């Protein structure tokens, strides 16, 4: 079973920041938080991942709370092409596989 | 090469047909996966190969038969499928036990069983 909880859908205005929350209250100390997105009928695409510290790359920022029980993916300037289903996945290194929850369907509106 | 390539992109097959889905990666990954995704649902794990050996079969019916001929290739052989098996089949690869970028997914094969 997925170890995360996400809102089923969110809207965001084009050009504004999209903040996607994820709860993972049962996360273990050695488990990472991964974010993927899936644009309609394509394969899931890696966005970012982190363990404890906040992370930033060219696509997004990942903010992890100090207790690690929740995180937020931030798309700083959402475009129409960011419309997709966003999956938050918790996974340890050894013997664990990616289990997808329902994700958040983000709609970026013009 | 940072891609996972799946062929064919679309496949229509009858319930008595035998067909195969193919997946290839040249990233040196030693773990490969098959996922099944129904419309408006998240991907569901079917099979895991680690170092070319089947390590996980998530109670998948025997009409689906995976094969890993070498570390770069993964096949999914299909036989006597049912219409409810129509779905997007996704292949992925990764380095086992790595905290890297997780899985790299292919674009999938859209399968329709008629």
């Amino acid at each position: 079973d997925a170890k995360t909880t996400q809102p089923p859908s969110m809207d965001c205005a084009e050009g504004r920041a999209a903040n996607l929350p994820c709860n993972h209250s049962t996360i273990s100390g050695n488990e990472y938080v991964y974010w993927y997105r899936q644009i309609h009928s394509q394969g899931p695409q890696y966005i970012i991942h982190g363990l404890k510290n906040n992370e930033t790359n060219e696509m997004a920022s990942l903010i992890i709370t100090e207790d690690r029980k929740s995180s937020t993916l931030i798309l700083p300037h959402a475009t129409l092409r960011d419309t997709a289903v966003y999956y938050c996945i918790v996974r340890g290194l050894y013997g664990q596989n990616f289990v997808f929850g329902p994700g958040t369907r983000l709609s970026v509106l013009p | 090469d940072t891609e996972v390539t799946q062929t064919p992109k679309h496949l229509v097959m009858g319930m008595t047909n035998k067909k195969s889905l193919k997946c290839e990666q040249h990233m040196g990954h030693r773990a490969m996966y098959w996922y099944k995704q129904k419309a408006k649902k998240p991907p569901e794990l079917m099979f895991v190969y680690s170092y070319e050996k089947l390590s996980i079969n998530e109670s998948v019916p025997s009409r689906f038969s995976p094969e890993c001929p070498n570390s770069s290739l993964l096949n999914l052989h299909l036989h006597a499928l049912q219409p409810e098996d129509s779905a997007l089949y996704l292949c992925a690869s990764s380095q086992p036990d790595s905290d890297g970028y997780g899985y790299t997914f292919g674009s999938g094969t859209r399968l329709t069983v008629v």
Side-chain angles (χ1 to χ4, degrees), chain A residues 21-63:
Chain A
C22 179
N23 286 323
H24 30 80
S25 58
T26 61
I27 192 170
S28 301
N30 64 351
E31 290 183 319
Y32 287 74
V33 180
Y34 287 83
W35 283 84
Y36 278 72
R37 73 180 182 184
Q38 189 173 24
I39 297 170
H40 180 63
S41 292
Q42 298 181 20
Q45 175 192 22
Y46 168 84
I47 301 173
I48 199 166
H49 77 288
L51 182 63
K52 296 180 181 179
N53 300 321
N54 298 338
E55 302 287 345
T56 296
N57 63 21
E58 65 278 5
M59 289 182 68
S61 295
L62 173 60
I63 308 299

Short mmCIF file of all heavy atoms in Angstrom, two decimals, chain A residues 21-63:
data_model
loop_
_atom_site.label_atom_id
_atom_site.label_comp_id
_atom_site.label_asym_id
_atom_site.label_seq_id
_atom_site.Cartn_x
_atom_site.Cartn_y
_atom_site.Cartn_z
N PRO A 21 1.02 19.47 -1.62
CA PRO A 21 1.36 18.86 -0.32
C PRO A 21 1.31 17.34 -0.36
O PRO A 21 0.61 16.75 -1.20
CB PRO A 21 0.26 19.42 0.60
CG PRO A 21 -0.92 19.56 -0.30
CD PRO A 21 -0.39 19.90 -1.67
N CYS A 22 2.04 16.75 0.56
CA CYS A 22 2.04 15.29 0.70
C CYS A 22 2.26 14.95 2.18
O CYS A 22 3.17 15.49 2.81
CB CYS A 22 3.15 14.68 -0.15
SG CYS A 22 3.25 12.88 -0.03
N ASN A 23 1.40 14.09 2.70
CA ASN A 23 1.57 13.60 4.06
C ASN A 23 2.16 12.21 4.05
O ASN A 23 1.69 11.34 3.29
CB ASN A 23 0.23 13.58 4.80
CG ASN A 23 -0.22 14.96 5.18
OD1 ASN A 23 0.59 15.81 5.54
ND2 ASN A 23 -1.52 15.21 5.11
N HIS A 24 3.18 12.00 4.86
CA HIS A 24 3.81 10.68 4.98
C HIS A 24 4.18 10.47 6.43
O HIS A 24 5.38 10.39 6.79
CB HIS A 24 5.02 10.51 4.05
CG HIS A 24 5.77 11.79 3.76
ND1 HIS A 24 6.69 12.34 4.64
CD2 HIS A 24 5.72 12.61 2.68
CE1 HIS A 24 7.19 13.44 4.11
NE2 HIS A 24 6.63 13.64 2.93
N SER A 25 3.16 10.39 7.26
CA SER A 25 3.36 10.40 8.71
C SER A 25 4.05 9.15 9.24
O SER A 25 4.59 9.16 10.35
CB SER A 25 2.02 10.58 9.43
OG SER A 25 1.13 9.55 9.06
N THR A 26 4.07 8.07 8.47
CA THR A 26 4.70 6.83 8.95
C THR A 26 6.08 6.62 8.34
O THR A 26 6.62 5.52 8.39
CB THR A 26 3.81 5.62 8.63
OG1 THR A 26 3.64 5.52 7.20
CG2 THR A 26 2.44 5.75 9.30
N ILE A 27 6.66 7.65 7.80
CA ILE A 27 7.96 7.54 7.12
C ILE A 27 9.03 7.08 8.11
O ILE A 27 9.04 7.50 9.28
CB ILE A 27 8.34 8.86 6.44
CG1 ILE A 27 9.52 8.67 5.49
CG2 ILE A 27 8.59 9.94 7.47
CD1 ILE A 27 9.78 9.89 4.61
N SER A 28 9.92 6.21 7.65
CA SER A 28 11.02 5.73 8.48
C SER A 28 12.26 6.58 8.23
O SER A 28 12.36 7.28 7.23
CB SER A 28 11.34 4.27 8.14
OG SER A 28 10.23 3.46 8.35
N GLY A 29 13.22 6.45 9.15
CA GLY A 29 14.41 7.30 9.07
C GLY A 29 15.23 7.12 7.82
O GLY A 29 15.92 8.05 7.39
N ASN A 30 15.16 5.94 7.20
CA ASN A 30 15.99 5.68 6.02
C ASN A 30 15.19 5.78 4.72
O ASN A 30 15.67 5.34 3.67
CB ASN A 30 16.65 4.31 6.13
CG ASN A 30 15.61 3.20 6.14
OD1 ASN A 30 14.41 3.46 6.23
ND2 ASN A 30 16.07 1.97 6.05
N GLU A 31 13.98 6.29 4.78
CA GLU A 31 13.15 6.37 3.59
C GLU A 31 13.21 7.77 2.96
O GLU A 31 13.16 8.78 3.66
CB GLU A 31 11.70 6.01 3.91
CG GLU A 31 11.52 4.53 4.22
CD GLU A 31 10.07 4.17 4.48
OE1 GLU A 31 9.36 4.94 5.15
OE2 GLU A 31 9.65 3.09 4.01
N TYR A 32 13.32 7.78 1.65
CA TYR A 32 13.38 9.00 0.88
C TYR A 32 11.97 9.39 0.41
O TYR A 32 11.11 8.53 0.22
CB TYR A 32 14.28 8.82 -0.34
CG TYR A 32 15.74 8.75 -0.03
CD1 TYR A 32 16.30 7.62 0.54
CD2 TYR A 32 16.57 9.82 -0.32
CE1 TYR A 32 17.66 7.56 0.83
CE2 TYR A 32 17.93 9.78 -0.04
CZ TYR A 32 18.47 8.64 0.54
OH TYR A 32 19.81 8.58 0.83
N VAL A 33 11.81 10.67 0.12
CA VAL A 33 10.60 11.17 -0.51
C VAL A 33 10.92 11.49 -1.97
O VAL A 33 11.84 12.25 -2.25
CB VAL A 33 10.08 12.44 0.19
CG1 VAL A 33 8.80 12.93 -0.51
CG2 VAL A 33 9.81 12.17 1.66
N TYR A 34 10.19 10.85 -2.86
CA TYR A 34 10.35 11.09 -4.30
C TYR A 34 9.08 11.75 -4.84
O TYR A 34 7.97 11.45 -4.40
CB TYR A 34 10.53 9.77 -5.05
CG TYR A 34 11.87 9.09 -4.87
CD1 TYR A 34 12.11 8.29 -3.76
CD2 TYR A 34 12.86 9.22 -5.82
CE1 TYR A 34 13.33 7.65 -3.60
CE2 TYR A 34 14.08 8.58 -5.67
CZ TYR A 34 14.31 7.80 -4.56
OH TYR A 34 15.52 7.17 -4.40
N TRP A 35 9.28 12.60 -5.83
CA TRP A 35 8.16 13.16 -6.57
C TRP A 35 8.33 12.83 -8.05
O TRP A 35 9.40 13.06 -8.62
CB TRP A 35 8.06 14.67 -6.38
CG TRP A 35 7.48 15.07 -5.07
CD1 TRP A 35 8.12 15.19 -3.87
CD2 TRP A 35 6.11 15.41 -4.82
NE1 TRP A 35 7.25 15.58 -2.89
CE2 TRP A 35 6.01 15.73 -3.44
CE3 TRP A 35 4.96 15.48 -5.60
CZ2 TRP A 35 4.80 16.11 -2.85
CZ3 TRP A 35 3.76 15.87 -5.02
CH2 TRP A 35 3.69 16.17 -3.65
N TYR A 36 7.25 12.33 -8.62
CA TYR A 36 7.17 12.06 -10.04
C TYR A 36 5.91 12.75 -10.59
O TYR A 36 4.99 13.04 -9.84
CB TYR A 36 7.05 10.56 -10.32
CG TYR A 36 8.36 9.82 -10.31
CD1 TYR A 36 9.03 9.59 -9.12
CD2 TYR A 36 8.93 9.36 -11.48
CE1 TYR A 36 10.23 8.92 -9.10
CE2 TYR A 36 10.13 8.68 -11.48
CZ TYR A 36 10.78 8.46 -10.29
OH TYR A 36 11.97 7.80 -10.28
N ARG A 37 5.89 12.98 -11.87
CA ARG A 37 4.66 13.44 -12.50
C ARG A 37 4.41 12.64 -13.77
O ARG A 37 5.32 12.11 -14.39
CB ARG A 37 4.70 14.93 -12.80
CG ARG A 37 5.59 15.34 -13.96
CD ARG A 37 5.52 16.83 -14.15
NE ARG A 37 6.31 17.29 -15.28
CZ ARG A 37 6.47 18.58 -15.59
NH1 ARG A 37 5.89 19.52 -14.85
NH2 ARG A 37 7.19 18.93 -16.63
N GLN A 38 3.13 12.58 -14.13
CA GLN A 38 2.73 11.85 -15.32
C GLN A 38 1.80 12.72 -16.14
O GLN A 38 0.68 13.01 -15.70
CB GLN A 38 2.07 10.52 -14.95
CG GLN A 38 1.82 9.63 -16.15
CD GLN A 38 1.32 8.25 -15.76
OE1 GLN A 38 0.74 8.08 -14.68
NE2 GLN A 38 1.52 7.27 -16.63
N ILE A 39 2.31 13.12 -17.26
CA ILE A 39 1.50 13.86 -18.22
C ILE A 39 0.70 12.83 -19.02
O ILE A 39 1.17 11.73 -19.28
CB ILE A 39 2.39 14.74 -19.11
CG1 ILE A 39 3.10 15.77 -18.23
CG2 ILE A 39 1.60 15.40 -20.22
CD1 ILE A 39 4.18 16.55 -18.93
N HIS A 40 -0.49 13.21 -19.42
CA HIS A 40 -1.47 12.28 -19.97
C HIS A 40 -0.86 11.24 -20.90
O HIS A 40 -0.23 11.57 -21.89
CB HIS A 40 -2.55 13.07 -20.71
CG HIS A 40 -3.60 12.21 -21.31
ND1 HIS A 40 -4.44 11.41 -20.54
CD2 HIS A 40 -3.95 11.97 -22.60
CE1 HIS A 40 -5.26 10.77 -21.32
NE2 HIS A 40 -4.99 11.08 -22.58
N SER A 41 -1.04 9.95 -20.50
CA SER A 41 -0.66 8.81 -21.32
C SER A 41 0.82 8.68 -21.59
O SER A 41 1.24 7.95 -22.48
CB SER A 41 -1.42 8.82 -22.66
OG SER A 41 -2.78 8.59 -22.44
N GLN A 42 1.65 9.39 -20.83
CA GLN A 42 3.10 9.21 -20.93
C GLN A 42 3.58 8.46 -19.69
O GLN A 42 2.83 8.24 -18.74
CB GLN A 42 3.81 10.55 -21.04
CG GLN A 42 3.44 11.34 -22.28
CD GLN A 42 4.20 12.66 -22.35
OE1 GLN A 42 5.23 12.83 -21.71
NE2 GLN A 42 3.68 13.59 -23.13
N GLY A 43 4.85 8.05 -19.69
CA GLY A 43 5.41 7.42 -18.52
C GLY A 43 5.70 8.43 -17.43
O GLY A 43 5.92 9.61 -17.70
N PRO A 44 5.68 8.01 -16.16
CA PRO A 44 6.02 8.93 -15.08
C PRO A 44 7.42 9.52 -15.26
O PRO A 44 8.35 8.82 -15.69
CB PRO A 44 5.94 8.04 -13.84
CG PRO A 44 4.99 6.96 -14.20
CD PRO A 44 5.25 6.70 -15.66
N GLN A 45 7.55 10.77 -14.89
CA GLN A 45 8.80 11.51 -15.05
C GLN A 45 9.33 11.92 -13.69
O GLN A 45 8.58 12.49 -12.87
CB GLN A 45 8.55 12.75 -15.92
CG GLN A 45 9.74 13.68 -16.07
CD GLN A 45 9.35 15.01 -16.70
OE1 GLN A 45 8.19 15.42 -16.66
NE2 GLN A 45 10.31 15.70 -17.28
N TYR A 46 10.59 11.65 -13.43
CA TYR A 46 11.22 12.05 -12.17
C TYR A 46 11.25 13.57 -12.05
O TYR A 46 11.55 14.28 -13.02
CB TYR A 46 12.64 11.50 -12.11
CG TYR A 46 13.49 12.08 -11.01
CD1 TYR A 46 13.44 11.56 -9.71
CD2 TYR A 46 14.35 13.15 -11.25
CE1 TYR A 46 14.22 12.09 -8.70
CE2 TYR A 46 15.14 13.68 -10.24
CZ TYR A 46 15.07 13.15 -8.97
OH TYR A 46 15.84 13.68 -7.97
N ILE A 47 10.94 14.08 -10.85
CA ILE A 47 11.05 15.52 -10.61
C ILE A 47 12.19 15.80 -9.63
O ILE A 47 13.12 16.54 -9.92
CB ILE A 47 9.74 16.10 -10.06
CG1 ILE A 47 8.58 15.86 -11.04
CG2 ILE A 47 9.89 17.59 -9.79
CD1 ILE A 47 7.23 16.26 -10.48
N ILE A 48 12.10 15.22 -8.43
CA ILE A 48 13.03 15.56 -7.37
C ILE A 48 12.90 14.53 -6.26
O ILE A 48 11.88 13.82 -6.18
CB ILE A 48 12.73 16.99 -6.85
CG1 ILE A 48 13.91 17.59 -6.10
CG2 ILE A 48 11.46 17.01 -6.02
CD1 ILE A 48 13.77 19.12 -5.88
N HIS A 49 13.91 14.42 -5.41
CA HIS A 49 13.79 13.57 -4.24
C HIS A 49 14.64 14.13 -3.11
O HIS A 49 15.56 14.94 -3.35
CB HIS A 49 14.15 12.11 -4.54
CG HIS A 49 15.64 11.84 -4.64
ND1 HIS A 49 16.39 12.27 -5.71
CD2 HIS A 49 16.48 11.17 -3.82
CE1 HIS A 49 17.64 11.87 -5.55
NE2 HIS A 49 17.72 11.21 -4.42
N GLY A 50 14.35 13.70 -1.87
CA GLY A 50 15.11 14.18 -0.73
C GLY A 50 14.94 13.26 0.47
O GLY A 50 14.01 12.45 0.52
N LEU A 51 15.83 13.41 1.43
CA LEU A 51 15.79 12.61 2.64
C LEU A 51 15.39 13.47 3.84
O LEU A 51 14.41 13.19 4.51
CB LEU A 51 17.16 11.97 2.90
CG LEU A 51 17.26 11.06 4.11
CD1 LEU A 51 16.34 9.86 3.97
CD2 LEU A 51 18.71 10.60 4.33
N LYS A 52 16.16 14.49 4.12
CA LYS A 52 15.88 15.37 5.27
C LYS A 52 15.90 16.83 4.87
O LYS A 52 15.05 17.62 5.30
CB LYS A 52 16.93 15.15 6.36
CG LYS A 52 16.93 13.79 6.98
CD LYS A 52 18.00 13.69 8.05
CE LYS A 52 18.05 12.31 8.67
NZ LYS A 52 19.12 12.21 9.70
N ASN A 53 16.88 17.19 4.05
CA ASN A 53 17.06 18.60 3.72
C ASN A 53 16.16 19.01 2.57
O ASN A 53 15.72 18.18 1.78
CB ASN A 53 18.51 18.85 3.33
CG ASN A 53 19.46 18.51 4.46
OD1 ASN A 53 19.17 18.76 5.62
ND2 ASN A 53 20.58 17.92 4.10
N ASN A 54 15.89 20.30 2.49
CA ASN A 54 15.17 20.82 1.34
C ASN A 54 16.07 20.69 0.11
O ASN A 54 17.30 20.77 0.20
CB ASN A 54 14.80 22.28 1.58
CG ASN A 54 13.87 22.43 2.77
OD1 ASN A 54 13.18 21.50 3.16
ND2 ASN A 54 13.85 23.62 3.35
N GLU A 55 15.44 20.47 -1.01
CA GLU A 55 16.17 20.27 -2.25
C GLU A 55 15.59 21.16 -3.34
O GLU A 55 14.38 21.45 -3.33
CB GLU A 55 16.09 18.81 -2.71
CG GLU A 55 16.60 17.78 -1.72
CD GLU A 55 18.12 17.77 -1.60
OE1 GLU A 55 18.78 18.36 -2.47
OE2 GLU A 55 18.63 17.19 -0.61
N THR A 56 16.45 21.57 -4.26
CA THR A 56 16.02 22.38 -5.41
C THR A 56 16.76 21.93 -6.64
O THR A 56 17.96 21.63 -6.58
CB THR A 56 16.29 23.88 -5.16
OG1 THR A 56 15.49 24.32 -4.06
CG2 THR A 56 15.91 24.71 -6.39
N ASN A 57 16.03 21.84 -7.75
CA ASN A 57 16.68 21.61 -9.04
C ASN A 57 16.01 22.51 -10.07
O ASN A 57 15.22 23.40 -9.71
CB ASN A 57 16.66 20.13 -9.43
CG ASN A 57 15.27 19.57 -9.62
OD1 ASN A 57 14.30 20.31 -9.84
ND2 ASN A 57 15.15 18.26 -9.52
N GLU A 58 16.30 22.28 -11.32
CA GLU A 58 15.80 23.18 -12.36
C GLU A 58 14.30 23.08 -12.56
O GLU A 58 13.68 23.93 -13.16
CB GLU A 58 16.52 22.91 -13.68
CG GLU A 58 16.27 21.53 -14.27
CD GLU A 58 17.14 20.45 -13.66
OE1 GLU A 58 17.89 20.73 -12.70
OE2 GLU A 58 17.05 19.30 -14.16
N MET A 59 13.70 22.01 -12.05
CA MET A 59 12.26 21.83 -12.22
C MET A 59 11.45 22.32 -11.04
O MET A 59 10.35 22.87 -11.21
CB MET A 59 11.94 20.34 -12.43
CG MET A 59 12.37 19.77 -13.77
SD MET A 59 11.87 18.04 -13.92
CE MET A 59 10.10 18.19 -14.01
N ALA A 60 11.96 22.07 -9.82
CA ALA A 60 11.12 22.28 -8.65
C ALA A 60 11.95 22.38 -7.38
O ALA A 60 13.16 22.16 -7.40
CB ALA A 60 10.13 21.11 -8.53
N SER A 61 11.24 22.70 -6.30
CA SER A 61 11.83 22.65 -4.96
C SER A 61 11.03 21.69 -4.11
O SER A 61 9.81 21.55 -4.29
CB SER A 61 11.82 24.04 -4.31
OG SER A 61 12.64 24.94 -5.00
N LEU A 62 11.74 21.02 -3.21
CA LEU A 62 11.10 20.09 -2.28
C LEU A 62 11.38 20.57 -0.87
O LEU A 62 12.55 20.71 -0.48
CB LEU A 62 11.65 18.67 -2.48
CG LEU A 62 11.20 17.61 -1.49
CD1 LEU A 62 9.70 17.43 -1.51
CD2 LEU A 62 11.91 16.28 -1.77
N ILE A 63 10.30 20.83 -0.14
CA ILE A 63 10.41 21.26 1.25
C ILE A 63 9.92 20.12 2.14
O ILE A 63 8.76 19.68 2.00
CB ILE A 63 9.55 22.51 1.52
CG1 ILE A 63 9.88 23.61 0.51
CG2 ILE A 63 9.77 23.01 2.95
CD1 ILE A 63 11.30 24.10 0.53
#
